[in-house]
Amino acid sequence: MTAIITATELAAGLAGGRPPVLLDVRWQLTTAKAAGAPAFDGRAEYTAGHLPGAVFVDLDRELASAPGEHGRHPLPDLEEFGAAMRRAGVSAGRPVVVYDGGQGWAAARAWWLLRWTGHPDVRVLDGGLPAWQGQLSTDVPDPAEGDFEPAPDAAGLLDADGAAALARSGVLLDARAGERYRGEVEPIDRVGGHIPGAVSAPTNENVGPDGRFLPAADLRDRFKALGVSQEAPVGVYCGSGVSGAHEVLALAVADIPAALYVGSWSEWSSDPSRPVAVGPDPQ
């Protein structure tokens, strides 16, 4: 099983005898705008048109708990997450395909959560909604209740101490834009910079101009150049555990297992006692 699916493959799967559950996770990072522009509304985008049969999933409310000491998008309460997935029709014995508006971050967050909590067959639509060539629907489905019960895997998750240790013993990748890694700008969090020892690996460099992932061989070459090998464990963090999930997905496409530090920089930087590195050097 691969971690991603093409639009052509998805269309064939939907027409087959065992169609996947479709989850629409349209979301965008929203920061305060001086011009007073309205926040992105994923549900409104979904209502205006979505893949036929897709169920909307709210990243901020169903794929994360409220912002706090553990970052802007902490892990959701697992009972609430399981209930949300069952309402969407997710069952352990039925494949799931997740998509978003094309950036891939939100879909990857849903993919990572479902995989981390034990679902055996989850894929992301490569390229998201823009890759879909079929008709869209405005009908809101009412799926039968699923049976999915989350069973998390501790090995796939890092906390702050684990991320710090991995930066010394393995490879810790920072999926944010390079200028945020270097501490040149920080539009959201308390302070700019990166976890000492982390390597800059912007997740947008894992995709082509069309938003689709680079070929697996190209991704393997990229990660090898960043120090990733079969001998050392790999972890990823970002701003709040969303774009980092996209990097974990890219690593999975390259057949490289990796853990995610969900709290990421929004948790790390909130504690003044934690060290901060700036500039292009990992240390």
Side-chain angles (χ1 to χ4, degrees), residues 99-201:
Y99 72 90
D100 59 22
Q103 187 178 42
W105 295 5
R109 172 74 176 218
W111 167 85
W112 181 82
L113 272 170
L114 282 165
R115 293 291 292 149
W116 175 66
T117 54
H119 197 288
D121 190 351
V122 189
R123 286 181 284 180
V124 169
L125 176 58
D126 196 17
L129 188 64
W132 180 253
Q133 299 299 310
Q135 295 292 317
L136 299 181
S137 172
T138 57
D139 295 336
V140 178
D142 183 19
E145 183 89 358
D147 63 13
F148 179 67
E149 293 288 346
D153 175 10
L157 182 67
L158 293 172
D159 60 10
D161 290 340
L166 187 58
R168 297 188 298 270
S169 64
V171 179
L172 181 65
L173 301 176
D174 184 320
R176 298 172 301 159
E179 59 268 25
R180 290 186 69 191
Y181 170 89
R182 296 187 295 272
E184 297 166 358
V185 299
E186 183 43 66
I188 307 173
D189 294 312
R190 185 185 66 85
V191 63
H194 59 269
I195 297 173
V199 177
S200 180

